Amino acid sequence: MTERNAVDAAIMSRRSVRGFRPDPVPEATIRELIALAGRAPSGSNIQPWKVHVVTGSALTRLTSALSAAHESDTPEAREYEYYPVDWREPYLGRRRALGWQLYGLAGIEKGDKAGAKRQMGRNFTFFGAPVGLVFTIDRDLEQGSWLDTGMFLQTLMLAARGRGLDTCPQAAIASYPAVVRGELGIPESEMVVCGMALGFADPEEPVNALRAEREPVEAYTVFHAR
């Protein structure tokens, strides 16, 4: 496979996997992925991203604490707004379409609030992945550093595909920053950006059949030639 085809294959095969096998991922592999992601672009090379790798008993404790907060209906306490405060088209329609695709594959019918909560709760177990990643950023940094961190995340996800691994970036993990901070000893000076599940996709998981639709290039691109 040529270098171009290998890169294209990693991009096209990257997807948000919501069901993992328990097979462990070697620490050496995780270190390689993080090192590769560290080559992501960064304004003035400040490299603002910070990564917490959570496995084993530490992962069990974190998922238990997060799941307990979710099950008890503890109010979410995000430290930043990931989604629009006021939803509008075309974003609302895209979100709803994806949601119904996911719920359909999970066997959740319209109006099934318990089923929806149960599916949402799987976020807080990192969908059964053997590795949970939590990303933070210093609270006093600005929007450019958030852009850099996003590129770091994408680079890590593509590097994972090159090793036959799958991922799911998870904004939901930032819903309970105090829980995450307490379990992992993260200082108040750092903001919890998101989490990410890392591992081997479970082919038997129905929702892993989901393939999110993407808009055509013409829908969001303007070519300026003169």
Side-chain angles (χ1 to χ4, degrees):
M1 182 180 291
T2 66
E3 182 176 347
R4 172 183 171 181
N5 288 342
V7 173
D8 288 358
I11 294 171
M12 293 301 295
S13 64
R14 189 220 61 82
R15 58 199 173 100
S16 293
V17 164
R18 296 176 175 86
F20 291 83
R21 304 200 312 263
D23 310 47
V25 179
E27 182 177 317
T29 300
I30 301 171
R31 288 180 177 274
E32 287 177 1
L33 295 177
I34 294 172
L36 284 168
R39 299 304 306 172
S42 171
S44 296
N45 200 36
I46 70 170
Q47 305 168 68
W49 45 77
K50 296 184 180 182
V51 189
H52 299 262
V53 180
V54 194
T55 59
S57 58
L59 181 61
T60 300
R61 290 194 299 272
L62 176 60
T63 57
S64 295
L66 287 170
S67 296
H70 174 70
E71 288 300 319
S72 65
D73 294 319
T74 300
E76 295 187 357
R78 289 182 177 276
E79 298 180 290
Y80 72 98
E81 294 294 344
Y82 184 93
Y83 293 107
V85 175
D86 297 313
W87 283 94
R88 62 176 175 82
E89 298 299 343
Y91 312 112
L92 179 60
R94 293 172 185 168
R95 184 192 196 201
R96 284 175 171 167
L98 179 67
W100 287 121
Q101 281 182 280
L102 175 63
Y103 283 6
L105 290 168
I108 300 171
E109 297 182 357
K110 189 172 183 178
D112 182 0
K113 293 183 179 179
K117 181 177 181 178
R118 187 166 54 250
Q119 179 63 34
M120 179 63 183
R122 297 186 64 209
N123 274 281
F124 303 115
T125 67
F126 289 88
F127 299 106
V131 182
L133 303 173
V134 174
F135 304 92
T136 66
I137 189 171
D138 285 342
R139 195 177 293 276
D140 59 347
L141 295 179
E142 298 293 346
Q143 290 176 327
S145 293
W146 286 73
L147 293 174
D148 291 350
T149 301
M151 290 187 281
F152 175 89
L153 296 174
Q154 175 74 348
T155 304
L156 195 158
M157 289 186 281
L158 296 181
R161 289 303 305 131
R163 285 159 175 73
L165 291 160
D166 283 287
T167 56
C168 184
Q170 297 172 267
I173 299 302
S175 298
Y176 302 106
V179 173
V180 176
R181 189 172 285 114
E183 290 294 327
L184 302 183
I186 298 171
E188 286 289 341
S189 59
E190 296 176 27
M191 189 176 293
V192 178
V193 177
C194 67
M196 183 184 294
L198 171 69
F200 298 94
D202 181 359
E204 303 301 318
E205 171 56 57
V207 298
N208 282 344
L210 177 64
R211 294 294 185 275
E213 297 179 0
R214 290 295 195 259
E215 295 293 315
V217 171
E218 292 75 20
Y220 53 83
T221 308
V222 177
F223 289 90
H224 303 269
R226 60 180 178 178

